[in-house]
Amino acid sequence: ARVRGGSAERRLPRFAQMRCTAWFARRPRVRVANKQGSVVVYPTCLVEYRSPEVGAALVKVFEHNGVQCDVGPAHCCGAPLLHEGDLRGCTRVAVDNGARLAEAVRRGADVVIAQPECTHVVRRDYVDYVGGPDARLVAAHTYDAAEYLMNLHLAEGTALDTNFAGDVPHTVAYHSSGHLRTLGIDGKGRDLVKLTGARVTLIDDESGGVPTQSLRPAAHDGSAFTL
């Protein structure tokens, strides 16, 4: 705390007893009926190590709506390295993750990411900072979870089950993520919540620290950086 300037009294999230990928590997294999799609869920560090219940809920909602799920590589997307200016380290991570996810896409799956920041990194930063066919292919097939579900709801030939069982809150406060704003998909989560019948109160600020117009590097030849 002294070296990094952080407070020793700050309460950090606890690590979960079971990782999201471990939960998925131990559960019985589910074959969905009336299949409407196939996805690889990229759980991200937060969901993998601290909040696996988020990944479990995502998988169950998708399977309920006819989307076959696998859980993809849980390696960090590289955002911490990028934010620290370690482009060499970020490039190494991006190339490895890009290859793994691209393999899944070539098998016919889309990529769904459970966290806005990592969605932004895979969909925008991998292309801008690394480039190449894998990064572009993965970016074109990567979706925010709410975005994917709204696509099922709005597209021809697919449908979202809007018969929401259980208690639906009267009002929901929705924070418009800066990461999703930059991608132009910040309204998808709001619209999804509205389908439950809840009244949505929009919390519209920049507290996430991500500008709506991101600073992007100049275009390059598609090869990875060598520093």
Side-chain angles (χ1 to χ4, degrees):
R2 292 179 181 177
V3 174
R4 301 293 295 178
S7 172
E9 298 179 359
R10 181 182 177 185
R11 295 183 179 181
L12 296 175
R14 295 179 180 272
F15 285 97
Q17 293 184 340
M18 181 180 294
R19 294 175 292 112
C20 181
T21 49
W23 165 81
F24 189 84
R26 295 183 183 186
R27 72 193 293 254
R29 181 69 175 175
V30 175
R31 291 292 179 185
V32 301
N34 302 318
K35 185 176 178 181
Q36 301 192 98
S38 178
V39 302
V40 168
V41 177
Y42 185 5
T44 79
C45 296
L46 176 63
V47 173
E48 171 71 353
Y49 297 110
R50 299 189 187 276
S51 300
E53 68 277 5
V54 173
L58 189 157
V59 167
K60 291 175 182 177
V61 168
F62 273 53
E63 289 176 343
H64 177 75
N65 281 280
V67 180
Q68 190 72 51
C69 293
D70 277 315
V71 170
H75 297 172
C76 176
C77 69
L81 297 170
L82 180 61
H83 297 164
E84 291 292 332
D86 184 359
L87 294 182
R88 185 192 297 274
C90 180
T91 295
R92 183 173 60 252
V93 169
V95 169
D96 181 59
N97 283 341
R100 293 169 182 264
L101 294 173
E103 182 180 354
V105 172
R106 292 187 178 102
R107 292 198 303 265
D110 290 314
V111 178
V112 168
I113 302 184
Q115 187 180 351
E117 180 178 19
C118 302
T119 304
H120 183 280
V121 169
V122 173
R123 204 150 122 176
R124 177 71 60 80
D125 295 330
Y126 279 12
V127 175
D128 288 346
Y129 287 93
V130 179
D134 283 352
R136 291 191 293 270
L137 177 66
V138 170
H141 291 270
T142 292
Y143 299 88
D144 169 69
E147 177 189 21
Y148 193 95
L149 292 174
M150 284 303 296
N151 286 350
L152 288 182
H153 178 59
L154 298 173
E156 294 185 9
T158 58
L160 178 70
D161 182 1
T162 56
N163 182 23
F164 298 98
D167 296 328
V168 176
H170 180 264
T171 303
V172 173
Y174 176 79
H175 176 251
S176 180
S177 164
H179 298 94
L180 299 186
R181 279 192 199 181
T182 304
L183 296 173
I185 56 174
D186 56 303
K188 300 296 185 179
R190 174 203 62 204
D191 295 342
L192 183 63
V193 174
K194 283 184 176 180
L195 293 177
T196 68
R199 177 183 177 185
V200 178
T201 300
L202 187 64
I203 302 174
D204 191 10
D205 61 36
E206 294 287 351
S207 61
V210 179
T212 54
Q213 296 296 325
S214 63
L215 298 177
R216 305 176 68 177
H220 55 82
D221 61 3
S223 60
F225 280 107
T226 53
L227 302 177

